[in-house]
Amino acid sequence: MTNKNKFLTVLILQSTAAASIALINKYIQVSAGNKNMLETSKSLCYKWRLGNIHYTKTGKGKPLLLIHDLTPVSSGYEWHSMVSLLSEHHTVYVIDLLGCGRSEKPNITYTNYLYVQLISDFIQTVIGRRTNVVASGGSAALAVMACKSNSDLFDQLLFINPDSILTCSQVPGKSAKLYKFILDMPILGTFIYHISTSKKTIFELMKTKYYENPYSVKGSVVDAYYESAHLGESPKSIYSSVACHYTKCNIINALKKINNSIYLIGSRSINGMEERLEEFKKYNPSIEFLLVNEGKYLPHVEYPDTMSNVIKTYLY
Protein backbone atom coordinates (compact mmCIF):
# COMPACT_ATOMS: atom_id res chain seq x y z
CA MET A 1 0.00 0.00 0.00
CA THR A 2 1.37 3.37 -1.01
CA ASN A 3 1.75 6.24 1.45
CA LYS A 4 -1.07 8.02 -0.35
CA ASN A 5 -3.40 5.03 0.09
CA LYS A 6 -2.40 4.72 3.76
CA PHE A 7 -3.19 8.37 4.31
CA LEU A 8 -6.59 8.02 2.62
CA THR A 9 -7.38 4.93 4.69
CA VAL A 10 -6.52 6.70 7.96
CA LEU A 11 -8.52 9.74 6.88
CA ILE A 12 -11.56 7.59 6.04
CA LEU A 13 -11.34 5.75 9.37
CA GLN A 14 -11.02 9.00 11.30
CA SER A 15 -13.96 10.53 9.44
CA THR A 16 -16.07 7.42 10.04
CA ALA A 17 -15.22 7.44 13.75
CA ALA A 18 -16.02 11.15 14.04
CA ALA A 19 -19.33 10.67 12.22
CA SER A 20 -20.22 7.72 14.48
CA ILE A 21 -19.43 9.68 17.64
CA ALA A 22 -21.46 12.64 16.35
CA LEU A 23 -24.46 10.35 15.77
CA ILE A 24 -24.10 8.90 19.28
CA ASN A 25 -23.93 12.40 20.74
CA LYS A 26 -27.08 13.41 18.86
CA TYR A 27 -28.97 10.29 19.94
CA ILE A 28 -28.11 10.83 23.61
CA GLN A 29 -29.19 14.47 23.53
CA VAL A 30 -32.51 13.65 21.87
CA SER A 31 -33.39 10.53 23.88
CA ALA A 32 -32.42 11.83 27.34
CA GLY A 33 -35.56 13.95 27.66
CA ASN A 34 -38.06 11.31 26.50
CA LYS A 35 -39.52 10.81 30.00
CA ASN A 36 -40.12 14.55 30.61
CA MET A 37 -39.13 14.21 34.26
CA LEU A 38 -38.59 17.95 34.65
CA GLU A 39 -41.89 18.96 33.08
CA THR A 40 -44.20 20.84 35.47
CA SER A 41 -47.48 22.70 35.10
CA LYS A 42 -46.09 25.45 37.36
CA SER A 43 -43.29 26.42 34.96
CA LEU A 44 -42.56 30.15 34.77
CA CYS A 45 -39.96 32.04 32.74
CA TYR A 46 -37.74 34.96 33.70
CA LYS A 47 -36.28 36.53 30.57
CA TRP A 48 -32.79 37.35 31.74
CA ARG A 49 -30.27 39.13 29.52
CA LEU A 50 -28.15 35.99 28.92
CA GLY A 51 -30.99 33.51 28.53
CA ASN A 52 -34.43 32.47 29.72
CA ILE A 53 -34.52 31.22 33.30
CA HIS A 54 -36.96 28.51 34.34
CA TYR A 55 -38.50 28.78 37.81
CA THR A 56 -41.57 27.88 39.85
CA LYS A 57 -43.50 29.79 42.50
CA THR A 58 -45.56 28.03 45.18
CA GLY A 59 -47.30 29.02 48.42
CA LYS A 60 -47.87 32.24 50.32
CA GLY A 61 -45.88 34.18 52.87
CA LYS A 62 -42.35 35.51 53.12
CA PRO A 63 -40.32 34.69 49.99
CA LEU A 64 -37.87 31.80 50.08
CA LEU A 65 -35.52 31.13 47.17
CA LEU A 66 -34.18 27.59 46.80
CA ILE A 67 -30.96 27.30 44.78
CA HIS A 68 -29.75 23.88 43.65
CA ASP A 69 -26.16 22.64 43.66
CA LEU A 70 -23.94 23.90 40.85
CA THR A 71 -23.28 20.82 38.71
CA PRO A 72 -24.25 19.92 35.12
CA VAL A 73 -26.74 17.31 36.38
CA SER A 74 -28.43 19.60 38.91
CA SER A 75 -31.70 21.51 38.57
CA GLY A 76 -34.59 22.76 40.65
CA TYR A 77 -35.78 19.14 40.75
CA GLU A 78 -33.37 18.83 43.68
CA TRP A 79 -36.07 20.50 45.82
CA HIS A 80 -39.15 18.75 44.40
CA SER A 81 -39.95 16.92 47.67
CA MET A 82 -39.33 20.02 49.79
CA VAL A 83 -41.58 22.59 48.12
CA SER A 84 -44.90 21.41 49.56
CA LEU A 85 -43.33 21.17 53.02
CA LEU A 86 -41.90 24.70 52.93
CA SER A 87 -44.73 26.47 51.10
CA GLU A 88 -47.05 26.37 54.11
CA HIS A 89 -45.51 29.58 55.45
CA HIS A 90 -43.39 30.79 52.53
CA THR A 91 -43.76 31.79 48.92
CA VAL A 92 -41.23 29.32 47.60
CA TYR A 93 -39.28 30.13 44.45
CA VAL A 94 -37.28 27.31 42.87
CA ILE A 95 -34.85 28.40 40.16
CA ASP A 96 -32.94 26.50 37.50
CA LEU A 97 -29.67 28.39 37.19
CA LEU A 98 -28.50 29.38 33.71
CA GLY A 99 -26.92 26.32 32.08
CA CYS A 100 -28.89 23.92 34.28
CA GLY A 101 -32.18 22.05 34.11
CA ARG A 102 -34.83 23.65 31.92
CA SER A 103 -33.18 27.07 31.77
CA GLU A 104 -31.34 28.07 28.61
CA LYS A 105 -27.83 26.71 28.16
CA PRO A 106 -25.88 29.07 25.93
CA ASN A 107 -22.41 28.10 24.75
CA ILE A 108 -20.48 30.47 27.03
CA THR A 109 -18.03 30.29 29.92
CA TYR A 110 -19.98 30.38 33.18
CA THR A 111 -18.39 32.35 36.01
CA ASN A 112 -19.08 33.14 39.63
CA TYR A 113 -19.78 36.75 38.67
CA LEU A 114 -22.39 35.65 36.12
CA TYR A 115 -24.33 33.72 38.76
CA VAL A 116 -23.99 36.50 41.33
CA GLN A 117 -25.65 38.83 38.82
CA LEU A 118 -28.35 36.27 37.99
CA ILE A 119 -29.31 35.65 41.62
CA SER A 120 -29.36 39.36 42.42
CA ASP A 121 -31.35 40.23 39.30
CA PHE A 122 -33.83 37.42 39.93
CA ILE A 123 -34.54 38.55 43.48
CA GLN A 124 -34.80 42.19 42.49
CA THR A 125 -36.92 41.67 39.35
CA VAL A 126 -39.01 38.57 40.02
CA ILE A 127 -39.36 38.41 43.81
CA GLY A 128 -39.12 42.13 44.47
CA ARG A 129 -38.41 42.07 48.22
CA ARG A 130 -35.91 40.83 50.81
CA THR A 131 -35.64 37.10 50.50
CA ASN A 132 -34.54 34.13 52.56
CA VAL A 133 -32.21 31.90 50.55
CA VAL A 134 -31.43 28.21 50.90
CA ALA A 135 -28.59 26.93 48.70
CA SER A 136 -26.76 23.62 48.52
CA GLY A 137 -23.22 22.57 47.68
CA GLY A 138 -21.36 24.78 45.23
CA SER A 139 -24.17 27.34 45.03
CA ALA A 140 -23.61 28.47 48.61
CA ALA A 141 -20.57 30.50 47.51
CA LEU A 142 -22.69 32.17 44.80
CA ALA A 143 -25.24 33.27 47.39
CA VAL A 144 -22.48 34.57 49.68
CA MET A 145 -21.03 36.73 46.93
CA ALA A 146 -24.47 37.93 45.82
CA CYS A 147 -25.34 38.92 49.38
CA LYS A 148 -22.06 40.76 49.77
CA SER A 149 -22.76 42.59 46.51
CA ASN A 150 -26.28 43.70 47.51
CA SER A 151 -27.20 42.70 51.06
CA ASP A 152 -30.50 44.63 50.93
CA LEU A 153 -31.94 41.91 48.70
CA PHE A 154 -31.27 39.16 51.22
CA ASP A 155 -32.60 38.31 54.66
CA GLN A 156 -31.44 34.99 56.14
CA LEU A 157 -29.09 32.59 54.37
CA LEU A 158 -29.00 28.83 54.94
CA PHE A 159 -26.48 26.57 53.23
CA ILE A 160 -26.56 22.78 53.05
CA ASN A 161 -23.15 21.09 52.80
CA PRO A 162 -21.38 24.12 51.30
CA ASP A 163 -18.03 23.70 49.55
CA SER A 164 -14.99 24.25 51.75
CA ILE A 165 -13.25 27.63 51.76
CA LEU A 166 -10.31 26.04 49.94
CA THR A 167 -12.54 24.54 47.24
CA CYS A 168 -14.24 27.90 46.72
CA SER A 169 -10.84 29.55 46.21
CA GLN A 170 -9.65 27.37 43.32
CA VAL A 171 -8.72 29.17 40.11
CA PRO A 172 -8.22 27.93 36.53
CA GLY A 173 -4.63 26.83 35.91
CA LYS A 174 -2.87 25.86 32.69
CA SER A 175 -4.07 22.26 32.87
CA ALA A 176 -7.64 23.40 33.53
CA LYS A 177 -7.56 25.72 30.53
CA LEU A 178 -6.26 22.88 28.33
CA TYR A 179 -8.99 20.55 29.62
CA LYS A 180 -11.63 23.20 28.90
CA PHE A 181 -10.27 23.58 25.37
CA ILE A 182 -10.71 19.83 24.84
CA LEU A 183 -14.20 19.83 26.38
CA ASP A 184 -15.24 22.72 24.13
CA MET A 185 -14.43 20.68 21.01
CA PRO A 186 -17.73 19.93 19.22
CA ILE A 187 -17.43 16.16 18.84
CA LEU A 188 -14.73 14.89 21.21
CA GLY A 189 -15.65 17.26 24.03
CA THR A 190 -19.33 16.38 23.77
CA PHE A 191 -18.50 12.67 23.79
CA ILE A 192 -16.41 13.09 26.96
CA TYR A 193 -19.27 15.01 28.53
CA HIS A 194 -21.80 12.30 27.70
CA ILE A 195 -19.58 9.66 29.30
CA SER A 196 -19.20 11.82 32.41
CA THR A 197 -22.97 12.36 32.68
CA SER A 198 -24.24 8.95 31.59
CA LYS A 199 -27.11 7.42 33.50
CA LYS A 200 -24.75 4.81 34.96
CA THR A 201 -22.32 7.50 36.14
CA ILE A 202 -25.13 9.49 37.77
CA PHE A 203 -26.47 6.36 39.47
CA GLU A 204 -23.03 5.59 40.92
CA LEU A 205 -22.68 9.21 42.03
CA MET A 206 -26.00 8.99 43.84
CA LYS A 207 -25.06 5.75 45.59
CA THR A 208 -21.55 6.72 46.65
CA LYS A 209 -21.66 10.48 47.26
CA TYR A 210 -25.17 11.91 47.30
CA TYR A 211 -27.07 9.32 49.37
CA GLU A 212 -26.31 7.83 52.76
CA ASN A 213 -28.33 4.70 51.95
CA PRO A 214 -27.49 3.55 48.38
CA TYR A 215 -30.59 1.35 48.31
CA SER A 216 -32.89 4.35 48.64
CA VAL A 217 -31.80 5.86 45.31
CA LYS A 218 -34.90 6.01 43.12
CA GLY A 219 -34.84 5.46 39.39
CA SER A 220 -37.03 8.54 38.91
CA VAL A 221 -34.40 10.75 40.58
CA VAL A 222 -31.64 9.33 38.38
CA ASP A 223 -33.83 9.91 35.31
CA ALA A 224 -34.47 13.52 36.33
CA TYR A 225 -30.77 14.25 36.85
CA TYR A 226 -29.91 12.52 33.58
CA GLU A 227 -32.50 14.56 31.71
CA SER A 228 -31.25 17.76 33.30
CA ALA A 229 -27.73 17.02 32.09
CA HIS A 230 -28.75 16.73 28.44
CA LEU A 231 -31.40 19.35 27.76
CA GLY A 232 -30.68 22.57 25.92
CA GLU A 233 -28.32 24.05 23.36
CA SER A 234 -24.98 23.44 25.08
CA PRO A 235 -25.35 21.45 28.32
CA LYS A 236 -21.63 20.66 28.43
CA SER A 237 -20.70 24.35 28.80
CA ILE A 238 -21.56 24.44 32.49
CA TYR A 239 -19.68 21.16 32.93
CA SER A 240 -16.45 22.55 31.50
CA SER A 241 -16.81 25.81 33.44
CA VAL A 242 -17.34 24.06 36.77
CA ALA A 243 -14.73 21.35 36.19
CA CYS A 244 -12.13 23.98 35.28
CA HIS A 245 -12.94 26.26 38.28
CA TYR A 246 -14.34 29.24 36.37
CA THR A 247 -17.30 29.33 38.78
CA LYS A 248 -15.07 29.47 41.88
CA CYS A 249 -14.30 32.59 43.92
CA ASN A 250 -12.56 33.35 47.21
CA ILE A 251 -15.40 34.13 49.64
CA ILE A 252 -13.37 34.98 52.76
CA ASN A 253 -13.71 38.77 52.52
CA ALA A 254 -17.40 38.45 51.71
CA LEU A 255 -17.99 36.25 54.75
CA LYS A 256 -16.26 38.81 56.98
CA LYS A 257 -18.43 41.68 55.74
CA ILE A 258 -21.88 40.06 55.63
CA ASN A 259 -24.16 41.06 58.51
CA ASN A 260 -27.06 38.85 57.44
CA SER A 261 -27.84 35.76 59.51
CA ILE A 262 -26.08 32.72 58.07
CA TYR A 263 -26.89 29.13 59.04
CA LEU A 264 -24.93 26.09 57.89
CA ILE A 265 -26.25 22.53 57.80
CA GLY A 266 -23.67 19.78 57.37
CA SER A 267 -23.97 16.02 57.09
CA ARG A 268 -21.99 14.28 59.79
CA SER A 269 -21.32 11.36 57.43
CA ILE A 270 -19.11 13.55 55.21
CA ASN A 271 -15.51 13.40 56.37
CA GLY A 272 -14.20 16.70 57.70
CA MET A 273 -17.57 18.45 57.56
CA GLU A 274 -17.40 19.79 61.12
CA GLU A 275 -13.95 21.30 60.46
CA ARG A 276 -15.28 22.80 57.21
CA LEU A 277 -18.15 24.54 58.98
CA GLU A 278 -15.88 25.68 61.81
CA GLU A 279 -13.71 27.41 59.22
CA PHE A 280 -16.72 29.40 57.99
CA LYS A 281 -17.39 30.43 61.57
CA LYS A 282 -13.78 31.53 61.97
CA TYR A 283 -14.32 34.24 59.36
CA ASN A 284 -17.78 35.18 60.61
CA PRO A 285 -18.29 34.29 64.30
CA SER A 286 -22.04 35.01 64.12
CA ILE A 287 -22.56 32.02 61.82
CA GLU A 288 -24.49 29.14 63.38
CA PHE A 289 -24.16 25.56 62.19
CA LEU A 290 -25.70 22.17 62.80
CA LEU A 291 -24.48 18.67 61.97
CA VAL A 292 -27.26 16.28 61.01
CA ASN A 293 -27.03 12.53 61.38
CA GLU A 294 -29.28 11.65 58.45
CA GLY A 295 -28.24 11.84 54.84
CA LYS A 296 -25.03 12.56 52.99
CA TYR A 297 -24.33 15.20 50.29
CA LEU A 298 -28.01 15.77 49.44
CA PRO A 299 -29.86 15.13 52.73
CA HIS A 300 -32.80 17.25 51.54
CA VAL A 301 -33.33 14.84 48.64
CA GLU A 302 -32.96 11.68 50.71
CA TYR A 303 -34.72 12.92 53.87
CA PRO A 304 -36.98 15.86 52.86
CA ASP A 305 -39.18 15.71 55.98
CA THR A 306 -36.23 15.90 58.34
CA MET A 307 -34.50 18.65 56.41
CA SER A 308 -37.64 20.74 56.01
CA ASN A 309 -38.07 20.72 59.80
CA VAL A 310 -34.45 21.82 60.21
CA ILE A 311 -34.94 24.66 57.74
CA LYS A 312 -38.17 25.75 59.42
CA THR A 313 -36.39 25.86 62.77
CA TYR A 314 -33.90 28.41 61.47
CA LEU A 315 -36.02 30.45 59.06
CA TYR A 316 -39.25 30.87 61.05
Side-chain angles (χ1 to χ4, degrees):
M1 182 180 293
T2 66
N3 289 336
K4 182 178 180 180
N5 288 337
K6 289 180 180 180
F7 174 78
L8 289 174
T9 300
V10 171
L11 185 62
I12 292 171
L13 290 174
Q14 288 179 337
S15 300
T16 302
S20 300
I21 293 173
L23 286 173
I24 293 172
N25 289 339
K26 186 65 176 178
Y27 171 78
I28 292 173
Q29 186 172 12
V30 172
S31 63
N34 285 343
K35 295 184 179 181
N36 292 318
M37 296 299 300
L38 304 184
E39 192 68 44
T40 170
S41 60
K42 298 180 180 180
S43 293
L44 296 170
C45 178
Y46 167 45
K47 295 186 177 182
W48 195 46
R49 55 188 173 84
L50 292 181
N52 292 337
I53 303 300
H54 173 272
Y55 73 97
T56 61
K57 177 183 177 182
T58 310
K60 294 181 179 180
K62 186 171 183 176
L64 172 62
L65 174 61
L66 303 181
I67 306 177
H68 59 78
D69 189 18
L70 189 60
T71 77
V73 302
S74 299
S75 71
Y77 184 88
E78 180 179 312
W79 307 101
H80 79 286
S81 296
M82 297 280 287
V83 173
S84 61
L85 301 171
L86 295 173
S87 60
E88 298 172 0
H89 302 286
H90 280 99
T91 301
V92 180
Y93 295 83
V94 181
I95 188 174
D96 283 2
L97 295 173
L98 190 74
C100 301
R102 297 186 65 83
S103 290
E104 283 196 53
K105 301 178 179 180
N107 184 15
I108 60 176
T109 297
Y110 295 81
T111 65
N112 180 280
Y113 178 75
L114 179 152
Y115 287 116
V116 167
Q117 290 299 303
L118 170 57
I119 294 170
S120 298
D121 289 348
F122 184 84
I123 294 176
Q124 189 167 27
T125 305
V126 177
I127 301 177
R129 53 186 290 206
R130 286 174 66 92
T131 301
N132 286 339
V133 173
V134 176
S136 73
S139 291
L142 307 179
V144 167
M145 297 304 293
C147 183
K148 187 258 183 181
S149 176
N150 194 343
S151 60
D152 291 340
L153 297 175
F154 297 82
D155 195 353
Q156 301 175 96
L157 306 174
L158 188 148
F159 304 139
I160 300 172
N161 289 326
D163 285 345
S164 68
I165 300 292
L166 179 60
T167 298
C168 293
S169 302
Q170 292 175 317
V171 296
K174 289 183 179 180
S175 59
K177 291 177 180 179
L178 174 61
Y179 186 44
K180 189 176 188 303
F181 173 78
I182 294 173
L183 290 173
D184 287 342
M185 296 174 69
I187 297 177
L188 178 60
T190 303
F191 188 63
I192 293 172
Y193 173 72
H194 285 159
I195 293 174
S196 302
T197 57
S198 69
K199 190 172 291 188
K200 180 180 179 181
T201 301
I202 293 173
F203 183 50
E204 289 301 317
L205 183 68
M206 291 282 178
K207 291 195 303 178
T208 58
K209 180 181 177 182
Y210 285 0
Y211 276 62
E212 178 187 38
N213 179 4
Y215 297 104
S216 64
V217 178
K218 297 179 180 178
S220 59
V221 175
V222 175
D223 288 339
Y225 275 68
Y226 179 66
E227 179 179 320
S228 176
H230 295 91
L231 293 178
E233 173 194 347
S234 183
K236 71 173 181 178
S237 294
I238 181 64
Y239 174 77
S240 63
S241 297
V242 171
C244 299
H245 312 314
Y246 285 88
T247 58
K248 305 297 185 183
C249 181
N250 191 316
I251 63 172
I252 292 176
N253 288 332
L255 281 175
K256 290 178 179 179
K257 294 179 180 179
I258 289 177
N259 292 319
N260 302 66
S261 296
I262 300 177
Y263 309 106
L264 307 179
I265 309 299
S267 296
R268 196 181 296 275
S269 59
I270 298 177
N271 291 334
M273 180 53 68
E274 184 171 7
E275 291 76 11
R276 182 187 306 184
L277 303 187
E278 285 283 6
E279 188 175 15
F280 274 78
K281 192 174 178 66
K282 181 177 73 173
Y283 295 111
N284 188 329
S286 65
I287 289 177
E288 298 179 38
F289 72 80
L290 172 70
L291 291 171
V292 293
N293 295 319
E294 292 183 297
K296 206 168 185 179
Y297 187 67
L298 294 178
H300 48 295
V301 177
E302 189 173 5
Y303 299 102
D305 292 314
T306 299
M307 289 305 297
S308 66
N309 288 332
V310 172
I311 292 173
K312 290 174 184 178
T313 299
Y314 284 107
L315 300 187
Y316 288 163

